[in-house]
Amino acid sequence: MLEFFKTLGHAYAADSAAMDGGAIVERRLSDLRGFFADAEAFETALAREDSLLYRVTAIEPADGDGDLHYGLGILFPGKVGDEYYLTKGHLHSTREAAEVYLGLRGEGCLLLEDEQTGESRLEPLGTGRIVYVPGHTAHRTMNTGTEPLTYIGVYPANAGHDYGAIAERNFRKVLVEENGRPVLKDREAGS
Ligand code: S6P
Ligand code: ZN
């Protein structure tokens, strides 16, 4: 039961995704070993600098049935080889839990992969875009622009985050830059 006196409103900055309150998770390049297709480019980039790739500030007001949690994300621009900076990606532990993403600033995409059929979809995410992520769908954010991509994801309090399956076999598709444009390709075996 939500305590009535708890803070129910938060100020955030759409460009920096700064927000008071909430638990902050930061992911650096070193946290994403094995997630990018080009392992050699990954090690070269990491040797140069263990860059901050993204930060999520999560607000979890209550945990009961019907409650919601939300996270404010900022994913910085950059590439490993030709592949755009990305989030780890996950399924929800409660598989039927859906999520709504609201793009605040920047240019990017959400890669969606149906766990049951393996079918992929790429949805633009950024300024003025909302994306509905159905249940049973792995989701990963990618920044295809030159500015930070900021967004909010709202999900059921009981969703939970399951990183295991993605860490093991990764998404079937990769988003790479070709001739200055994002192109979705099949992941090559072993990458
Ligand atoms: C949570 C929601 C987002 C992600 C964020 C980071 O359900 O989908 O807030 O947590 O985009 O991605 P990841 O895959 O590292 O949690
Ligand atoms: Zn999610």
Side-chain angles (χ1 to χ4, degrees), residues 90 92 99 101 139 161:
H90 59 267
H92 292 149
E99 180 161 358
Y101 272 74
H139 42 291
H161 295 91

Side-chain angles (χ1 to χ4, degrees), residues 88-168:
K88 286 186 166 188
H90 59 267
L91 284 149
H92 292 149
S93 311
T94 302
R95 289 293 196 266
E96 55 271 27
E99 180 161 358
V100 173
Y101 272 74
L102 299 98
L104 302 175
R105 290 280 161 81
E107 242 178 274
C109 296
L110 257 176
L111 176 60
L112 308 178
E113 189 177 293
D114 186 306
E115 187 186 25
Q116 286 149 340
T117 63
E119 197 184 328
S120 303
R121 280 182 62 162
L122 192 65
E123 289 290 333
L125 177 72
T127 317
R129 297 287 307 179
I130 296 176
V131 181
Y132 182 75
V133 179
H136 300 273
T137 305
H139 42 291
R140 163 176 283 170
T141 312
M142 290 151 308
N143 186 335
T144 55
T146 54
E147 303 294 325
L149 172 68
T150 62
Y151 56 92
I152 292 177
V154 185
Y155 46 96
N158 71 349
H161 295 91
D162 177 0
Y163 293 95
I166 295 304
E168 208 169 290

